[in-house]
Amino acid sequence: MAGTIWFDAAGDPDRPTILLIHGSMDRSAGLLRLSRRLGAAHHVVRVDRRGYGRSIEVGPPWTIEANVDDVERMVEALSAGVPGPIDVIGHSLGGNVALALAARRPDLVRSVVAYETPLSWLSWWPGDSAGAAAMSAASPAEAAEAFVRRLVGDEKWEQLPESTRARRRAEGAALVAELADLRRAAPWSPEVVEVPVLAMRGEHGHPHHHRGTEWLASRLDGCRVVVVAGAGHAGPHTHPAEVAAEVESFLSSLPDAASGVG
């Protein structure tokens, strides 16, 4: 595997650990504001997934399974070889990585928070989502640009420095590969996920994300649903205080709220 997965650990390592996993065409920096909100009571780890940010040299394969391999090794190293449990927050595609990790290593994961996780393998998932638009692009670089333009708008994209746009286009290979992987087959099975799950969505999120959140609640035993007022798909970025408050409330309600890697 070329390159090394980049991560940052902040806060008291003796406190319970929260791992933050970003979505497609994002990086750990996008979750920095949320990390700071959670850092007072937790040891918070942010990771740049393979193919993105400071982990851009890592890969292929850019698959959910490979991402789970990465975070599994990282968490085991952080805990000095003694598995968790930890709490994992996944935004967008990162939610699938978190749920797949929980399915594979229930000894390592205490709970999962999934914010608007795409369920692209399901037949009803729409063909006009940002991911679908990227998949129809002529090249990975164009796919990356199309995806970001869809998320932030043309005006904001054009205002970015050319060097930043070039870096984002370079992440297109990872984007196309992981989106294709997510459309091929389910990366995790609901019946295998036994840890507590909080499914979050934004009040102004797209209808398919609303439906996806309800799908999680109907398939995962005891899954709770929270709607973040005023937020859209980028809720962890735009509403970090509100998201953090809901996460803290969820974690404090768990039976072993004092446990965690540290």
Side-chain angles (χ1 to χ4, degrees):
M1 177 179 70
T4 303
I5 295 295
W6 182 92
F7 69 90
D8 176 70
D12 186 348
D14 290 329
R15 294 184 180 274
T17 294
I18 293 179
L19 172 64
L20 303 181
I21 307 177
H22 66 81
S24 295
M25 292 307 299
D26 199 5
R27 62 277 314 284
S28 63
L31 296 173
L32 182 58
R33 295 173 67 198
L34 177 60
S35 171
R36 288 171 175 164
R37 295 282 182 173
L38 296 169
H42 302 277
H43 179 232
V44 183
V45 179
R46 295 177 297 120
V47 60
D48 278 355
R49 294 194 297 103
R50 55 172 54 216
Y52 292 103
R54 282 160 282 196
S55 300
I56 195 167
E57 299 297 330
V58 182
W62 296 294
T63 61
I64 303 299
E65 182 178 12
N67 275 273
V68 175
D69 291 341
D70 294 336
V71 294
E72 180 181 19
R73 285 191 294 264
M74 183 188 66
V75 172
E76 287 186 330
L78 283 171
S79 60
V82 181
I86 67 167
D87 301 300
V88 187
I89 302 175
H91 177 215
S92 194
L93 186 137
N96 281 307
V97 178
L99 289 163
L101 177 64
R104 181 194 293 184
R105 293 293 304 273
D107 61 313
L108 202 63
V109 178
R110 183 176 73 130
S111 72
V112 169
V113 178
Y115 190 101
E116 294 203 356
T117 299
L119 308 173
S120 311
W121 63 91
L122 295 176
S123 60
W124 54 262
W125 197 257
D128 60 351
S129 65
M135 294 292 290
S136 66
S139 69
E142 291 179 31
E145 180 173 336
F147 192 91
V148 177
R149 282 181 180 272
R150 179 76 171 263
L151 294 182
V152 306
D154 292 336
E155 182 178 356
K156 186 169 289 188
W157 170 263
E158 297 295 346
Q159 291 173 349
L160 294 173
E162 178 52 39
S163 59
T164 300
R165 284 184 281 172
R167 286 196 298 271
R168 303 321 305 272
R169 293 189 189 102
E171 296 169 339
L175 170 71
V176 171
E178 67 186 19
L179 292 181
D181 182 55
L182 197 60
R183 281 160 171 74
R184 275 192 289 268
W188 50 273
S189 299
E191 63 271 14
V192 182
V193 178
E194 298 179 348
V195 305
V197 175
L198 176 65
M200 302 185 74
R201 67 170 178 86
E203 177 187 9
H204 303 305
H206 292 295
H208 58 280
H209 283 300
H210 290 199
R211 184 176 178 183
T213 303
E214 296 303 324
W215 187 93
L216 292 179
S218 69
R219 299 313 194 274
L220 298 171
D221 187 35
C223 176
R224 308 181 199 178
V225 172
V226 165
V227 179
V228 182
H233 186 62
H237 303 173
T238 60
H239 292 67
E242 292 84 349
V243 172
E246 294 293 354
V247 169
E248 294 283 16
S249 176
F250 169 65
L251 297 182
S252 66
S253 72
L254 300 180
D256 54 343
S259 70
V261 173

